[in-house]
Structure formats: structure tokens, C-alpha cells
């Protein structure tokens, strides 16, 4: 049947010469397109006049014809317009695949609506949805492709006839949808439909109940199904139902802790495809553009493998389209940008040539023709012959094959099974004889399945596969025996070790990093033992980048579900904070960042966590008690957090304040007076920040710096805080105030708190004997809290405490240099000749050492020789002796500075 075509108002700018040339090539080399040109004379005539209709306006929904016939004619016209536009260069690959995919969505949706309306006239297509997978899901549909939907239904909302079971109605609707799309007549067909991507297609109905489908993907799905759902979307029917299903299975697709066994299975799929389609593997006549070596599927698998590895943590990588995925992976540093460009170019060319061979006879083929037919396909593309087409493809195919092959790791031989043979093998890799013997004891223990995590056959297989790379990595660590012993402690606590070993096998450089962590950093080793999934974060190169600003960190700490329950939010914050603190510690161990920058990163992480948890706690508290009108909570950070430089083991020194009238009352269902309200709120907030949970502990919180210390209320009003600081606070409290800054509250409330701090520090406070108070405090501290060892750079004479006392005494005496950032305060005081310039360098040396020692020598005792070298390198020094000399010189400078500041103040009588 042929109906006249009214040219739509929206025409794509066409070139009549190029369109006419495209028509000539189509008539000469593509029988299917020649047939369409004959059946659609109006379109053909328009092409000669430079008229190329917008494909979206050819769907024919308002043509008054039966649905199936309307869709078949629409598909025929679309096929012709897209092909001629493609051959003429008016449509690029994105436009071609997008037009075909959007029509498939439209046709599928119209078929669903029709099938439901036939059984329940007037009913909306509620309770029945089609999920687009494969190339339809990513808007990359082939010129002559089938579609691979999964059909789901909701038995509670599906329209059906009286006394009809929902499952039976859903299957009947599904069969009618397929019939409308696949039935052929003289006008052709609409779409080929393949439903085999649903779970267990040989035994399951063609339409699945939504809850049963969710249950399958949560509990029994295979690795290839995860890869398939990278490109899934709700395409037709009840879109809300489809989106609800996809949201439910997101954790199945995008896992934070990746099972590298899944990646191995996807690689195995690729190998099986090569074996099954062995005839089309080599480029030339008969080459399989999709499944051959260096073909389309290898580009897709390359992108999907990296998406599965990193997409659980980086949401931007979850893009379904292959070329978009490659660009996103390159932008995030996951793959080489040059390789991403090569793969995208190869994909574009291979898909374009694939379309050419499909246009010839409207066949779902991916194979280059043989003989004269190959010359015809080449000429359809505008090339002289088949040899030119093969030559055009050759460099792209070779590049894809090389890049994809690099994903397959070389299979290292396993370690010797006999312990006697294992000792020399480990020595050959770099272990000393003693370290090798001690390591063999542990390896033999692991092989005996001594720990629950190692008892299954799968765990033993993963262990043996990872062991060669693991021992090579540990051999390069400074203390291999210590690393093996700490790994043993981790394995003893793990519920399962399979994924841990698979990660190490798949990422060999991480084995050396793991050895370094376990050799030197007990704090990180303990964190890893409690949460082995922390190590997964290190597969991203970005793990060694500086952490973001406070706002960006806070955004990452909020679950994507804006309605997540309070406990879910808290656990998410704990997980993100744990990951960030672990990664920051690794940056020091790996010499990837200046410890000063790491200290600032620790502080930003803490400030972001305070903000997120405070907002969530306030919101949940307000549900029961409302809010106090004209009032809000304000949080001051003091100590190292106030100064914006935490260590891996720092607690949080906080003061809670509230604004407004202390006699006011909250407006909720269970009203509370303002003082009672904010004290109970602060108790909940402190507990949220500090109570251990299975997701981890955030911080120890110290609120003893509040007015009247432990004897005073947990929260005081802003007015009460100002009155206390002006009239009753002691010198030590004013020294602590010099490191205070507001970290939570509105801009107005923070500004008011800062005004109070600045006013008090500039002199609006009781007259005290600053020198006597400061000297006595420092003496008491030295008596009651002596240094823990020769590396306790905080408490040693001439250490950080002496430096802080020097700075704060000078700030209080002169009312200047009032910056909570200790280094910036020193710079300001040096600029006014109030402190010697040597103290700026002293600050940097001592702060770097404090951060490093808290990580690798938390007891303050000199570590072993290997860790000494790591500490020296982290300080930018050649060896341990240079570090010791630098520390001694720095302490002398600080001691002189403290002695001078206290003596000068005494002389001047202040």
C-alpha cells in the first residue's frame, strides 16, 4: 500500500545534489532502499528538491489507519528518510540511531496502549511497562535491528477483564503487543521483538510480575545481566512503573564493592563470542563488524567493564550510550583520553558500515559481504570497491583489538604448593630469608582453610590467583613480614575474602600499595580490617586527589534518595567519611600529597559531616518538638578543627550555642523550652557524631571547652556565651577561643558568633595576668601529660603545644593576628614583628610530622628503619638522620620563641 505523503512543515536543511547522489547509490546498490523509493514517490521527489523531512514527524499517529498498518507505513518512511539522510551526510550516527530508537519507543508504547484498550476500552496503560535494554536502551538502535525489551506488570494496577487473573491478562497483552509489531504484510513490518533478555526465558512468562523481577535481580541475577542493565530505561507503557523497577535494582547494577569475578565473567563472554563466531574474527570479506576482533562488541564491553568497576562510586559514569560512556570515563581519569577517542572513532565507523550492510536488504546482519557484494556495500558508502572499505576499517579494527586485549591480564603462574619450595620462590621475588619463612607459615595457614573467609573452594581459588601478585607487591614493601602478618589479622576477621583477593588479582599495583599500608600504618590497617571494602576506593585514580571543598563533600554525604530515613543518612555519612579518611591516610603513605594539605582535607571532611548530620538531626528533632521561633543552633569548632588542620586521630572540640530568647518555647506537638530544647538536640547530635555503629564511628566529640566546662550546660545562648567570655572566662578559655570559628548556622548567626569571638580576643574580657596564667598552664600540662615518646611532636618541649602557647599569648596581648588558622596567624604576627619568622617554618615542620606520626607512629616511639625511611620521604627529606636534625632545630626555634614571648610579656607587665 502507498499513500501520498504531505511534506511536514519541519524540514531539515538538505542539499539536493547530495540527496540525489545518495538516491542514486541507494538504487544501484541497495535493493531494499530502491524498493522504498519506488513505494514512496513523494518522498523521492522531495529528495531531488533538497527536502529532507524530520524523522520524528513521520510517525503517522493521526493518519486514521489501523494501528499496525499505520506503524508499518511510518516505519517504512522512517527507514527511507533516515537512510537517504545518512548516505547524504545530513544525519550523523547519533541522529540516525536516535531517530530509530525514538520511533521504537513510540511504536512500542502505541502497541501497548492499543493492546490494553482492546481488552479494557478507555483504560490508561497503567500497570504494564516495557524496559528498553541493549541498543534501544542507549538510543543506539541499528538500522535493521530487533528490540530487546523486558515486559513487566503490576497486578494491583493492570487493567483487565472481569474475573481475569492479572498474570493471564499481562501475557495476553504482551502477545498482542508482539503481534502488532512483528506481523508482516505487503507494507512490511514494524519491529522485530526479542524477549530473551528476561530472566530464565525458557521457563518464565513473557511478561513478569514486577516484584518477582525485582527479587530475581536482587538475589539470583548473573553478571551479564548486570552489564545489560547499564543501558536499561523505562521506554513505553507505564513509565512510572518502569522507573520504580529500575530504581529498585540499581544496587544490583551499580555495586560500591565490586565483585571482580563479574568482570572476569564478562571477559569470558567476549572469549566465548570469539570462539562461537570464529569465521568472522579476522578483518576482510565476511568479517563480523559486531563480534569480530576489534569490532563493535569489544568497544561496548571495554566501556561497560570500566563502568561496572567505577560506576558504583561515580554516578557520572552511568551513562548508557557507548561513546558518552567512553567520554565520561576519560573525563574522570579512568581510561586514557587518547584511547577513548580511538575507540569512539572506531565505534562510529564500524556502526556506520554496519548500517550500510543492513540497508542493502533490510537484514539484521553485521557481516561484510563477500565478493561483488562487498564492492556494492563499499560503493553504497561512496568508496570505489571492497578493498577500499577494508582498508578504511583496518587501522580502527587494529586499535580496538590492541586496546581491548590489554584488559586481559597475563596469567601468572601460581606459587609453589610445597612450603619448602615456596621459601626460595619468595626470596627470589625480594623477601629476605627470615621474612620468607615467616610468610610461608602464614600462607600455609591460609591454604589450610583456617579462617572462615578461606574455607570455600571459591575462596581458595581466589587466594591462589591473587597470591603471585600479592607476594610480588609485598616483596617491594619496606617490611614484607609485617605486611603479611597484618594481612593475616585482616583475613581472620573477614566474613568473605573472595572479592578482596579478586580485586588484588585484577589490580596488581594495589598489591604493592596494600603491602605499604600494612607495613607502616596500623591505623589504616585496622580500618581495613574492620571494613575491607575501603580498599575498593583505591581502584579509582581520583582516590589520591585532594578532597573537595566542604559543600562538595557534604553533597557526597547525602544519599541520592532525598527521602532516606535518618539512620540511613547517618550510615551513609559514616561510610563516606570512613572512605575519605582512609584515602587521605593513603595519600601520605603513597607520598601523593603534602601532609599539610591532607590535614586540611581531614578538617573539611569533618566540617562537612557536622553540617550534614546537624541538618538531618535538626529536621528529625523538629518533627516531634517543632522549632524555636526566631532561634537556631550554632556550632563553634575549636582546637585543630577550628584551625582547619586535623590529624587522622583528632577528636572534635565543639561548642554548641543558640540564638534568640532563652525563655522561648518550641512550636511542635511536644513543645520544649529553648534551653531544654537545644540541650536535648545537642545530645542527639553529639551521639550521631560519636556513637559506634556497624557502619563505623565518626569522631570523638569533646565539649569541655564550653562555658563552665563539664559543670555547665551542654548548650548556652549566644548572649550567655558572650557574657561568660566577657566577664568570667579564664585565660586558658580565651587561648582556646583564639582557635574558634563557626562551622554551622546561618550566615547571620555565624557572623554574630564571629563578632563575639573577635570582640573578646581584642580585649573585652576580664583583666588577667596572661603570662603567669600561660606559664602555669604549660607547666601543669608538662607535669600531668608528658610526651609519650621522642616523636610526640605535640607535647615535646619545643613542640606544637609550645608553639600554640606562644602564638595565643601574643594574640591576646596585642589583640591582633586573630585568625584560627595557626599558620595564617603566625604570618600576621611575623609581619608585625611580634614573632620571629622561624616560627612559620616550625609550624609547617611540626604539623607535617604530627599528621605523619599519628598515622605511622601513634605511640610517639621511633618506628623501625623501614618506616623511618617512609617518614623522611613524606617530609621531603633524604633520610632519617636529616629528619631528626630538622626536628631538633625546629624544637630549639620554638623553645626560643616561647621563652622570648613569655619573658617579653613579663617585662612589659602584660
Amino acid at each position: 500500500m502507498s499513500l501520498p505523503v504531505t511534506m511536514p512543515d519541519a524540514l531539515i536543511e538538505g542539499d539536493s545534489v547530495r540527496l540525489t547522489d545518495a538516491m542514486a547509490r541507494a538504487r544501484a546498490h541497495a535493493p531494499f532502499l530502491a524498493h522504498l523509493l519506488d513505494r514512496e514517490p513523494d518522498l523521492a521527489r522531495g529528495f531531488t528538491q533538497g527536502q529532507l523531512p524530520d524523522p520524528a514527524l513521520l510517525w503517522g499517529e493521526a493518519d486514521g489507519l489501523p494501528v499496525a498498518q499505520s506503524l508499518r507505513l511510518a516505519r517504512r518512511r522512517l527507514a527511507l528518510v533516515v537512510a537517504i539522510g545518512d548516505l547524504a551526510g545530513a544525519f550523523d550516527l547519533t541522529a540516525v540511531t536516535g531517530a530509530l530508537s525514538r520511533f521504537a519507543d513510540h511504536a512500542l508504547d502505541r502497541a501497548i496502549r492499543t493492546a490494553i484498550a482492546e481488552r479494557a476500552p478507555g483504560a490508561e496503560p497503567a500497570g504494564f511497562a516495557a524496559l528498553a535494554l541493549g541498543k534501544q536502551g542507549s538510543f543506539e538502535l541499528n538500522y535493521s535491528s530487533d528490540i530487546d525489551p523486558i515486559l513487566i506488570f503490576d497486578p494491583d494496577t493492570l487493567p483487565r477483564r472481569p474475573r481475569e487473573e492479572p498474570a493471564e491478562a499481562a501475557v495476553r497483552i504482551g502477545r498482542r503487543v508482539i503481534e502488532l509489531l512483528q506481523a508482516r504484510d505487503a507494507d512490511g513490518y514494524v519491529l522485530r521483538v526479542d524477549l530473551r533478555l528476561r530472566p530464565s526465558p525458557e521457563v518464565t512468562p513473557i511478561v513478569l510480575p514486577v516484584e518477582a523481577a525485582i527479587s530475581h535481580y536482587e538475589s539470583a541475577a548473573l553478571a551479564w545481566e548486570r552489564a545489560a542493565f547499564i543501558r536499561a530505561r523505562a521506554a513505553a507503557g507505564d513509565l512510572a512503573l518502569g522507573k520504580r523497577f529500575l530504581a529498585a535494582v540499581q544496587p544490583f547494577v551499580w555495586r560500591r564493592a565490586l565483585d571482580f569475578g563479574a568482570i572476569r565473567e564478562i571477559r569470558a563472554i567476549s572469549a566465548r563470542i570469539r570462539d562461537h563466531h570464529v569465521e568472522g574474527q579476522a578483518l576482510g570479506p565476511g568479517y563480523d563488524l559486531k563480534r569480530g576482533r576489534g569490532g563493535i562488541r569489544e568497544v561496548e564491553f571495554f566501556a561497560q567493564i570500566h563502568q561496572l568497576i567505577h560506576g558504583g562510586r561515580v554516578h557520572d559514569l552511568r551513562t548508557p550510550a557507548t561513546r558518552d560512556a567512553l567520554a565520561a570515563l576519560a573525563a574522570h581519569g579512568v581510561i586514557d583520553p587518547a584511547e577513548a577517542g580511538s575507540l569512539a572513532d572506531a565505534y562510529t565507523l564500524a556502526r556506520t558500515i554496519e548500517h550500510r550492510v543492513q540497508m542493502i536488504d533490510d537484514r539484521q546482519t553485521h557481516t561484510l559481504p563477500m565478493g561483488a557484494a562487498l564492492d556494492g556495500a563499499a560503493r553504497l558508502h561512496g568508496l570505489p570497491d571492497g578493498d577500499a572499505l577494508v582498508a578504511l576499517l583496518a587501522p580502527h579494527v587494529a586499535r580496538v583489538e590492541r586496546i581491548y586485549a590489554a584488559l586481559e591480564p597475563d596469567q601468572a603462574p601460581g606459587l609453589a604448593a610445597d612450603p619448602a619450595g615456596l621459601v626460595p620462590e619468595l626470596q627470589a621475588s625480594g623477601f629476605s630469608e627470615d621474612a620468607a619463612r615467616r610468610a610461608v607459615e602464614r600462607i600455609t595457614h591460609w591454604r589450610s582453610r583456617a579462617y572462615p573467609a578461606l574455607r570455600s573452594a571459591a575462596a581458595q581459588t581466589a587466594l591462589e590467583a591473587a597470591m603471585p601478585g600479592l607476594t610480588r607487591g609485598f616483596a617491594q614493601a619496606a617490611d614484607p613480614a609485617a605486611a603479611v602478618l597484618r594481612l593475616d589479622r585482616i583475613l581472620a576477621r573477614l566474613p568473605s575474602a573472595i572479592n578482596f583477593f579478586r580485586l588484588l588479582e585484577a589490580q596488581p599495583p594495589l598489591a604493592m600499595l596494600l603491602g605499604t599500608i600494612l607495613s607502616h600504618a596500623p591505623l589504616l590497617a585496622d580500618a581495613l580490617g574492620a571494613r575491607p571494602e575501603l580498599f575498593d576506593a583505591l581502584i579509582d585514580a581520583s582516590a589520591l586527589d585532594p578532597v573537595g571543598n566542604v559543600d562538595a563533600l557534604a553533597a557526597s554525604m547525602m544519599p541520592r534518595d532525598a527521602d532516606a530515613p535518618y539512620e540511613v543518612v547517618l550510615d551513609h555519612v559514616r561510610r563516606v567519611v570512613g572512605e575519605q579518611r582512609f584515602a587521605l591516610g593513603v595519600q601520605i603513605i603513597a607520598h601523593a600529597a603534602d601532609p599539610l594539605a591532607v590535614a586540611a582535607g581531614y578538617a573539611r571532611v569533618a566540617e562537612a559531616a557536622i553540617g550534614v548530620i546537624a541538618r538531618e538531626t535538626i529536621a528529625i528533632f523538629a518533627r516531634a518538638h517543632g522549632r524555636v521561633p526566631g532561634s537556631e543552633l550554632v556550632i563553634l569548632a575549636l582546637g585543630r578543627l577550628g584551625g582547619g588542620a586535623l590529624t587522622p586521630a583528632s577528636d572534635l572540640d565543639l561548642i554548641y550555642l543558640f540564638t534568640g530568647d532563652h525563655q522561648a518555647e518550641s512550636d511542635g506537638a511536644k513543645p520544649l523550652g529553648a534551653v531544654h530544647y537545644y540541650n536535648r538536640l545537642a545530645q542527639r547530635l553529639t551521639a550521631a557524631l560519636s556513637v559506634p555503629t556497624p557502619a563505623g564511628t565518626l569522631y570523638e566529640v569533646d565539649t569541655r571547652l564550653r562555658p563552665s566546662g563539664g559543670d555547665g550546660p551542654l548548650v548556652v545562648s549566644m548572649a550567655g556565651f558572650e557574657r561568660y567570655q566577657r566577664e568570667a572566662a579564664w585565660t586558658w578559655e580565651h587561648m582556646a577561643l583564639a582557635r574558634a570559628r563557626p562551622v554551622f548556622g546561618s550566615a547571620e548567626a555565624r557572623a554574630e558568633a564571629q563578632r563575639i569571638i573577635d570582640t573578646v580576643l581584642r580585649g573585652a574580657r576580664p583583666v588577667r595576668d596572661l603570662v603567669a596564667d600561660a606559664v602555669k598552664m604549660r607547666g601543669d600540662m608538662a607535669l600531668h601529660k608528658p610526651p609519650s615518646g621522642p616523636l610526640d611532636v605535640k607535647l615535646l618541649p619545643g613542640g606544637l603545644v609550645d608553639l600554640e602557647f606562644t602564638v595565643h599569648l601574643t594574640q591576646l596581648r596585642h589583640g591582633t593576628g586573630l585568625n584560627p588558622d595557626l599558620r595564617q596567624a603566625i604570618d600576621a604576627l611575623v609581619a608585625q614583628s611580634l614573632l620571629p619568622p622561624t616560627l612559620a617554618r616550625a609550624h609547617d615542620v611540626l604539623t607535617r610530622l604530627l599528621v605523619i606520626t599519628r598515622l605511622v607512629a601513634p605511640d610517639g616511639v621511633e618506628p623501625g628503619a623501614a618506616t623511618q625511611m617512609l617518614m623522611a620521604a613524606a617530609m621531603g627529606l633524604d633520610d632519617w638522620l636529616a629528619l631528626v636534625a630538622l626536628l631538633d632545630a625546629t624544637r630549639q626555634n620554638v623553645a626560643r620563641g616561647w621563652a622570648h614571648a613569655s619573658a617579653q610579656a613579663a617585662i612589659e607587665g602584660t
Side-chain angles (χ1 to χ4, degrees):
M1 176 177 183
S2 178
L3 295 176
V5 176
T6 301
M7 281 294 176
D9 293 336
L11 296 175
I12 295 170
E13 189 69 27
D15 181 325
S16 60
V17 175
R18 288 192 296 156
L19 290 172
T20 301
D21 176 68
M23 289 174 59
R25 284 186 277 129
R27 287 191 179 279
H29 306 294
F32 171 67
L33 296 182
H35 172 71
L36 294 187
L37 287 167
D38 291 339
R39 296 296 300 273
E40 299 291 344
D42 292 339
L43 286 175
R45 187 163 44 253
F47 297 152
T48 64
Q49 299 168 1
Q51 296 176 338
L52 188 65
D54 183 339
L57 300 179
L58 297 171
W59 292 354
E61 191 162 4
D63 55 16
L65 297 172
V67 170
Q69 184 182 16
S70 173
L71 289 173
R72 285 194 285 270
L73 290 173
R75 189 266 175 179
R76 188 176 79 191
R77 291 166 179 163
L78 179 80
L80 179 58
V81 169
V82 166
I84 298 303
D86 184 2
L87 292 172
F91 297 152
D92 62 11
L93 179 64
T94 301
V96 170
T97 59
L100 296 169
S101 301
R102 284 187 288 273
F103 173 73
D105 289 358
H106 163 76
L108 188 53
D109 186 72
R110 197 171 172 196
I112 291 171
R113 290 175 179 274
T114 300
I116 290 176
E118 289 174 350
R119 304 187 65 77
E124 287 295 312
F128 191 103
L131 308 171
L133 276 76
K135 289 186 169 63
Q136 183 189 1
S138 57
F139 289 99
E140 296 174 305
L141 209 57
N142 284 332
Y143 184 78
S144 182
S145 177
D146 57 11
I147 59 173
D148 304 283
I150 290 178
L151 305 179
I152 58 174
F153 76 96
D154 183 347
D156 295 330
T157 58
L158 180 71
R160 59 188 188 276
R161 293 172 179 171
R163 296 184 298 279
E164 188 175 36
E165 289 296 322
E168 295 176 359
V171 169
R172 292 187 179 112
I173 292 169
R175 287 174 179 160
R176 179 58 175 151
V177 168
I178 296 169
E179 180 184 10
L180 289 168
L181 295 176
Q182 288 198 152
R184 290 176 176 266
D185 66 8
D187 295 318
Y189 66 99
V190 184
L191 294 165
R192 291 181 292 264
V193 182
D194 186 345
L195 298 177
R196 290 175 296 174
L197 286 185
R198 71 184 188 276
S200 304
E202 64 280 358
V203 295
T204 55
I206 62 172
V207 188
L208 302 173
V210 61
E211 294 303 328
I214 291 173
S215 177
H216 166 81
Y217 290 110
E218 287 180 338
S219 61
L222 301 174
W224 69 263
E225 292 176 296
R226 285 185 60 204
F229 268 85
I230 290 176
R231 300 194 285 185
R233 60 183 175 85
D238 187 343
L239 296 181
L241 172 63
K243 291 175 181 178
R244 175 164 68 88
F245 167 81
L246 291 175
V249 301
Q250 282 296 292
F252 146 74
V253 182
W254 304 109
R255 298 176 183 172
R256 293 181 60 81
L258 183 73
D259 178 359
F260 267 84
I263 304 307
R264 186 183 298 109
E265 184 167 335
I266 293 171
R267 287 170 172 163
I269 292 171
S270 176
R272 290 196 294 273
I273 289 172
R274 285 179 172 180
D275 292 341
H276 185 71
H277 299 274
V278 65
E279 295 159 349
Q281 291 299 303
L283 180 60
Y287 173 66
D288 192 323
L289 291 157
K290 179 178 180 179
R291 306 177 188 90
R293 291 181 179 272
I296 294 165
R297 182 59 58 81
E298 292 191 351
V299 178
E300 293 172 340
F301 277 4
F302 183 92
Q304 290 167 11
I305 285 172
H306 287 92
Q307 286 179 286
L308 287 175
I309 293 173
H310 302 277
R313 296 174 176 275
V314 184
H315 194 270
D316 291 348
L317 303 182
R318 300 180 185 182
T319 181
T322 300
R323 290 178 296 171
D324 292 344
L326 292 169
L329 290 164
H332 283 269
V334 175
I335 63 176
D336 180 76
E339 290 191 346
S342 294
L343 292 170
D345 291 345
Y347 182 82
T348 301
L349 178 61
R351 288 295 310 275
T352 300
I353 301 304
E354 180 186 44
H355 287 175
R356 298 292 178 265
V357 300
Q358 292 178 350
M359 289 173 183
I360 295 171
D361 290 313
D362 191 26
R363 290 175 52 239
Q364 189 184 6
T365 181
H366 315 284
T367 304
L368 291 181
M370 309 286 282
L374 179 59
D375 292 334
R379 290 169 185 143
L380 181 63
H381 188 62
L383 297 173
D385 53 34
D387 290 343
L389 178 56
V390 171
L392 178 65
L393 288 165
H396 296 279
V397 169
R399 277 194 293 270
V400 172
E401 184 174 2
R402 174 182 55 77
I403 294 170
Y404 186 75
L407 286 175
E408 302 288 349
D410 294 333
Q411 294 298 313
L415 295 184
D418 178 19
L422 188 51
V423 171
E425 190 172 340
L426 292 182
Q427 285 182 266
S429 68
F431 282 69
S432 69
E433 182 178 0
D434 178 63
R437 292 189 183 281
R438 292 160 64 189
V440 168
E441 289 179 6
R442 292 298 89 200
I443 293 171
T444 302
H445 195 57
W446 302 339
R447 285 172 166 174
S448 71
R449 309 187 184 211
Y451 301 135
L454 299 173
R455 285 176 185 161
S456 70
Q460 286 292 312
T461 300
L463 168 67
E464 294 299 336
M467 197 63 68
L470 192 62
T471 53
R472 283 196 302 272
F474 280 22
Q476 297 178 58
D479 191 345
V484 171
L485 188 60
R486 284 205 176 106
L487 176 59
D488 180 75
R489 293 171 186 161
I490 291 173
L491 295 177
R493 293 196 293 263
L494 277 178
S496 171
I498 297 173
N499 289 348
F500 183 70
F501 283 128
R502 284 175 173 169
L503 170 60
L504 292 172
E505 180 199 0
Q507 300 284 324
L510 291 185
M512 189 169 76
L513 182 57
L514 176 63
T516 303
I517 291 170
L518 299 181
S519 295
H520 301 293
L523 192 69
L524 298 181
D526 290 344
L528 196 56
R531 290 186 57 202
E533 68 273 13
L534 288 173
F535 205 64
D536 292 352
L538 300 184
I539 64 178
D540 293 324
S542 60
L544 299 182
D545 291 343
V547 297
N549 60 33
V550 172
D551 290 341
L553 286 165
S556 73
M557 293 177 190
M558 286 300 300
R560 298 194 67 81
D561 180 3
D563 300 320
Y566 179 65
E567 290 301 330
V568 171
V569 175
L570 295 188
D571 282 348
H572 185 72
V573 173
R574 293 179 184 117
R575 184 168 56 248
V576 173
V577 169
E579 291 169 355
Q580 293 287 0
R581 293 172 77 181
F582 181 78
L584 283 164
V586 172
Q587 288 182 19
I588 294 176
I589 297 298
H591 309 315
D594 184 338
L596 291 178
V598 171
Y602 281 128
R604 292 197 298 275
V605 170
E607 186 175 344
I610 291 169
V612 171
I613 290 182
R615 283 188 289 273
E616 292 297 312
T617 303
I618 290 168
I620 200 74
F621 193 77
R623 292 180 189 176
H625 304 291
R627 297 178 185 267
V628 179
S631 179
E632 65 175 289
L633 181 71
V634 180
I635 303 176
L636 301 184
L638 296 90
R640 300 204 63 78
L641 178 60
L646 291 179
T647 75
S650 292
D651 56 12
L652 306 183
D653 293 307
L654 303 179
I655 291 178
Y656 298 118
L657 307 173
F658 68 90
T659 63
D661 184 359
H662 72 280
Q663 294 183 324
E665 189 175 76
S666 68
D667 57 9
K670 299 178 180 179
L672 297 171
V675 174
H676 191 198
Y677 179 96
Y678 282 110
N679 274 272
R680 284 185 57 183
L681 173 61
Q683 288 171 356
R684 290 195 65 173
L685 175 53
T686 301
L689 285 167
S690 58
V691 171
T693 73
T697 301
L698 284 176
Y699 299 96
E700 294 293 330
V701 176
D702 189 341
T703 59
R704 290 174 296 175
L705 292 176
R706 65 186 186 269
S708 301
D711 295 328
L714 184 59
V715 189
V716 297
S717 70
M718 194 89 82
F721 175 73
E722 181 173 16
R723 186 165 53 252
Y724 178 84
Q725 292 292 339
R726 282 174 172 266
E727 300 174 4
W730 296 93
T731 299
W732 69 267
E733 292 175 291
H734 291 141
M735 292 178 71
L737 197 66
R739 301 285 291 282
R741 64 185 175 95
V743 294
F744 182 79
S746 67
E748 295 79 8
R750 292 192 193 204
E752 174 62 13
Q754 191 62 56
R755 181 196 64 78
I756 294 171
I757 294 168
D758 292 344
T759 300
V760 170
L761 294 178
R762 289 193 176 105
R765 60 180 187 267
V767 176
R768 309 280 191 198
D769 187 338
L770 295 177
V771 179
D773 288 351
V775 171
K776 182 178 186 304
M777 280 189 292
R778 183 65 187 101
D780 290 345
M781 184 178 292
L783 179 65
H784 297 295
K785 197 173 181 181
S788 60
L791 289 181
D792 190 345
V793 296
K794 179 178 178 180
L795 296 175
L796 280 170
L800 266 170
V801 168
D802 282 351
L803 179 62
E804 291 166 356
F805 269 67
T806 303
V807 173
H808 298 329
L809 177 59
T810 307
Q811 289 173 312
L812 293 178
R813 285 183 58 225
H814 297 280
T816 188
L818 303 178
N819 192 314
D821 183 313
L822 196 62
R823 174 57 193 268
Q824 293 187 30
I826 292 171
D827 288 343
L829 295 171
V830 168
Q832 298 175 63
S833 300
L834 297 174
L835 288 179
T838 54
L839 294 190
R841 164 100 169 130
H843 166 273
D844 293 352
V845 170
L846 293 173
T847 302
R848 285 190 177 100
L849 265 176
L850 180 69
V851 176
I852 296 168
T853 55
R854 288 291 188 265
L855 197 63
V856 302
D859 55 4
V861 177
E862 283 192 9
T867 302
Q868 290 178 2
M869 288 300 298
L870 181 141
M871 292 180 64
M875 290 290 293
L877 301 172
D878 292 334
D879 54 38
W880 179 252
L881 292 178
L883 188 152
V884 171
L886 176 62
L887 176 58
D888 287 345
T890 300
R891 291 175 54 200
Q892 292 174 28
N893 287 333
V894 172
R896 282 193 293 268
W898 167 234
H900 176 78
S902 55
Q904 186 69 25
I907 291 171
E908 295 176 7
T910 59

